[in-house]
């Protein structure tokens, strides 16, 4: 054969091979509120105390860099809506904005672009699915508070004549099944399965699927019968999106460990570590998936940090992970159960926290619980919750500086195809910009 013909043939072959290469799957996980102190605390929390060395976590394994999080507001501290818009669209905006820029015009998300290109898409979160972070991938609203409008947009904003998201898992029944509109029924009419109990996840066998497993956000991990509910929802999403029947198409899956932030706002360290465990185990699951499906890029980050968590507080050079591990409920639940148990509160305290209180602390709790005004129950629960948190912080040596967010850099984690793209010091908008580059 002529040399030129050979070269031409080789070229044709190589381009046809390149063209046949499947597009990259994208998995994007956001730990809402998961500042650096959270992954640091979790490293201590999950460590095997019987061995001398500190065990590495999946966060350590996948760490590639840091991202700035400031919004377009000149206040340096972002909320989840502005941060989610940055992460979803690559555009900085004002606090409260969902998928709109500072001029309040809609901006395109990586999920929009993926759907336009024919990808399968999924969202699985532990808050209500119309909450700020997932909303910024799907909806456009001047205010994150427009919960019903955002829920409507899951149905109404169609691409190629269909809803944008093929798998929707999380909470939010009260926004999707309403008096004025039953979006769950509308999804069913379009061929979606609809499930309202997380126990039924295993029954879901095909796309498209809508699963709303609670009225609002899901039960906190620490108190849930499904403490690894993000793991469960992610596993099912990956199964559906990568099924043989769906395999001709690549997918984009957006995930959120939503309630790390809520525990941070509540300044509740045990609550936060429960959510961190769900996040970490989800990352381990994704790693196993990518090891079998290498044509996938995974990136994870936080939208901001919450609560000003510090590992150690008040001049104490210690943090007592073992005490945190023994706490079995969130502080409001502990408070409610103490009040319900009345004079028997000590055994409830012992079983839920295992913290040995000093005599004067026991006297304080005893007086409060036995004299509580039952006609003012929410106020009383709030006051006792604050006191419970005081003791938890004291005995674990945990510190907090705010009930809100803080503006420091957050970590970026990546694994899979081209993970080096996310290395170094970047901005939250860069993550979206880099993900757009994967979409072809
Ligand atoms: Zn928050």
């Amino acid at each position: 054969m002529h040399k030129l013909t050979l070269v031409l043939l080789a070229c044709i072959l190589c381009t046809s091979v390149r063209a046949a290469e499947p597009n990259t799957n994208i998995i994007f996980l956001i730990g809402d509120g998961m500042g650096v102190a959270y992954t640091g605390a979790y490293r201590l929390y999950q460590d095997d105390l019987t061995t001398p060395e500190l065990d590495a976590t999946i966060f350590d394994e996948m760490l590639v860099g840091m991202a700035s999080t400031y919004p377009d507001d000149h206040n340096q501290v972002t909320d989840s809506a502005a941060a989610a818009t940055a992460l979803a669209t690559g555009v900085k905006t004002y606090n409260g904005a969902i998928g709109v820029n500072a001029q309040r015009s809609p901006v395109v998300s990586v999920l929009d672009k993926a759907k336009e290109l024919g990808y399968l898409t999924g969202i699985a979160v532990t808050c209500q699915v119309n909450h700020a972070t997932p909303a910024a991938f799907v909806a456009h609203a001047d205010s994150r508070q427009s919960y019903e409008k955002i829920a409507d947009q899951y149905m109404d904003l169609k691409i190629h004549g269909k809803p944008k998201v093929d798998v929707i898992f999380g909470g939010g029944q009260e926004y999707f099944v309403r008096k004025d509109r039953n979006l769950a029924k509308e999804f069913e009419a379009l061929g979606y399965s609809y499930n309202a109990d997380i126990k039924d996840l295993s029954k879901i066998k095909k796309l498209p699927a809508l699963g709303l497993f609670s009225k609002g956000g899901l039960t906190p991990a620490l108190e849930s019968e499904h403490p690894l509910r993000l793991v469960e929802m992610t596993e099912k999403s990956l199964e559906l999106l990568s099924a043989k029947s769906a395999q001709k198409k690549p997918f984009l899956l957006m995930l959120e460990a939503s309630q790390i932030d809520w525990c941070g706002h509540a300044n509740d360290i045990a609550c936060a570590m429960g959510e961190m465990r769900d996040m970490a185990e989800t990352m381990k699951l994704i790693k196993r998936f990518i090891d079998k499906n290498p044509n996938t890029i995974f990136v994870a980050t936080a939208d901001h940090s919450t609560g000003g968590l510090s590992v150690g507080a008040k001049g104490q050079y210690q943090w007592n992970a073992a005490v945190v591990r023994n706490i079995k409920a969130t502080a409001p639940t502990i408070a409610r159960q103490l009040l319900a148990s009345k004079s028997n509160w000590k055994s409830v305290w012992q079983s839920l926290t295992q913290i040995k209180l000093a005599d004067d602390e026991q006297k304080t709790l005893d007086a409060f619980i036995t004299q509580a005004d039952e006609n003012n129950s929410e106020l009383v629960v709030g006051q006792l919750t604050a006191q419970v948190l005081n003791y938890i912080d004291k005995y674990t040596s945990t510190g907090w500086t705010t009930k809100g967010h803080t503006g420091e850099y957050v970590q970026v984690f990546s694994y899979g195809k081209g993970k080096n793209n996310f290395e170094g010091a970047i901005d939250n908008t860069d993550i979206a910009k880099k993900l757009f580059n994967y979409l072809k």
Side-chain angles (χ1 to χ4, degrees):
M1 211 181 287
H2 192 275
K3 208 174 174 185
L4 186 66
T5 323
L6 261 178
V7 170
L8 273 173
L9 193 65
C11 258
I12 290 163
L13 273 174
C14 81
T15 46
S16 67
V17 166
R18 206 181 300 145
E21 187 183 298
N23 289 328
T24 309
N25 303 311
I26 295 174
I27 307 174
F28 189 5
L29 167 61
I30 296 167
D32 198 308
M34 191 187 68
V36 176
Y38 287 77
T39 51
Y42 184 72
R43 188 188 290 119
L44 302 170
Y45 176 81
Q46 60 90 52
D47 182 43
D48 178 356
L49 298 175
T50 62
T51 59
E53 62 286 340
L54 184 56
D55 303 314
T57 62
I58 189 75
F59 300 105
D60 299 322
E61 266 181 64
M62 293 193 181
L63 182 68
V64 292
M66 303 290 286
S68 46
T69 64
Y70 61 91
D72 188 25
D73 278 344
H74 309 292
N75 57 5
Q76 308 306 332
V77 181
T78 190
D79 81 329
S80 289
T85 301
L87 292 167
T89 72
V91 174
K92 280 209 191 281
T93 186
Y94 60 93
N95 281 345
I98 301 288
V100 297
N101 63 17
Q103 292 73 43
R104 299 178 188 239
S105 303
V107 278
V108 174
S109 76
V110 287
L111 190 143
D112 291 327
K113 175 92 186 286
K115 197 68 202 158
E116 268 163 27
L117 291 168
Y119 282 53
L120 296 169
T121 54
I123 283 182
V125 297
T126 54
C127 57
Q128 52 271 45
V129 299
N130 51 335
H131 204 259
T133 311
F137 286 78
V138 177
H140 308 286
D142 292 353
S143 162
R144 59 183 290 171
Q145 304 300 337
S146 316
Y147 282 118
E148 295 190 353
K149 176 181 165 182
I150 293 166
D152 288 347
Q153 291 187 11
Y154 269 84
M155 167 58 61
D156 296 340
L157 297 184
K158 296 195 170 67
I159 293 178
H160 302 312
K162 290 183 180 161
K164 293 176 185 180
V165 197
D166 301 301
V167 184
I168 307 167
F169 290 152
Q173 292 158 4
E174 66 176 306
Y175 306 102
F176 280 70
V177 182
R178 314 190 305 253
K179 278 207 181 94
D180 66 312
R181 197 167 175 190
N182 187 335
L183 291 161
K185 277 230 157 63
E186 291 182 39
F187 273 103
E188 283 183 313
L190 293 180
Y192 282 67
S193 57
Y194 173 59
N195 285 279
D197 189 334
I198 197 164
K199 285 196 193 98
D200 294 335
L201 261 183
S202 61
K203 292 185 188 159
I204 304 170
K205 300 291 180 204
K206 63 177 181 56
L207 297 169
L210 171 67
L212 301 174
F213 306 124
S214 61
K215 257 178 84 199
L218 304 188
T219 306
L222 198 59
E223 298 171 358
S224 176
E225 286 173 27
H226 296 258
L228 300 180
R229 66 267 202 256
L230 186 61
V231 175
E232 291 184 46
M233 293 188 292
T234 303
E235 190 166 33
K236 177 54 75 175
S237 301
L238 289 172
E239 178 199 314
L240 295 172
L241 293 167
S242 66
K244 284 232 160 55
S245 54
Q247 229 167 36
K248 283 191 194 107
K249 293 179 178 177
F251 67 80
L252 181 145
L253 175 61
M254 182 268 160
L255 304 164
E256 186 193 29
S258 320
Q259 296 191 28
I260 300 166
D261 175 66
W262 298 0
C263 304
H265 282 289
N267 289 181
D268 190 328
I269 187 64
C271 173
M273 290 301 105
E275 302 302 327
M276 286 297 295
R277 184 165 159 258
D278 198 8
M279 168 107 185
E281 293 300 319
T282 300
M283 287 170 69
K284 288 188 195 167
L285 169 79
I286 291 166
K287 181 170 187 273
R288 291 195 294 275
F289 177 86
I290 294 181
D291 288 341
K292 284 189 204 135
N293 300 273
N295 195 39
T296 307
I297 178 66
F298 169 63
V299 63
T301 191
D303 48 356
H304 52 75
S305 190
T306 304
L309 170 63
S310 74
V311 182
K314 299 195 172 157
Q316 299 294 313
Y317 285 35
Q318 62 168 4
W319 193 69
N320 207 333
V323 176
V324 183
R325 279 191 208 173
N326 287 334
I327 299 169
K328 299 204 167 50
T330 63
T333 299
I334 295 172
R336 283 200 179 84
Q337 295 203 16
L338 290 174
L339 287 164
S341 62
K342 300 219 168 83
S343 60
N344 196 27
W345 68 269
K346 279 184 189 162
S347 65
V348 172
W349 173 263
Q350 175 61 21
S351 72
L352 291 180
T353 72
Q354 294 187 34
I355 293 172
K356 191 169 166 18
L357 294 171
D359 286 349
D360 61 322
E361 291 164 346
Q362 292 196 28
K363 278 193 193 124
T364 305
L365 277 190
D366 196 62
F368 189 93
I369 292 164
T370 52
Q371 291 160 32
D373 175 5
E374 286 180 19
N375 297 321
N376 227 338
S377 61
E378 277 316 294
L379 181 71
V380 169
V381 168
Q383 288 168 338
L384 187 54
T385 298
Q387 189 61 348
V388 166
L389 287 169
N390 273 339
Y391 293 143
I392 289 174
D393 288 344
K394 177 184 166 190
Y395 285 95
T396 59
S397 201
T398 301
W400 306 91
T401 62
T402 174
K403 294 270 182 187
H405 297 174
T406 55
E408 67 269 28
Y409 269 46
V410 293
Q411 295 159 106
V412 180
F413 310 91
S414 189
Y415 192 71
K417 192 175 169 185
K419 67 173 188 175
N420 299 350
N421 287 321
F422 300 92
E423 271 178 5
I426 59 176
D427 184 57
N428 57 4
T429 54
D430 293 327
I431 297 176
K433 288 171 191 164
K434 289 166 193 291
L435 288 177
F436 273 118
N437 288 336
Y438 277 88
L439 294 169
K440 287 183 201 101

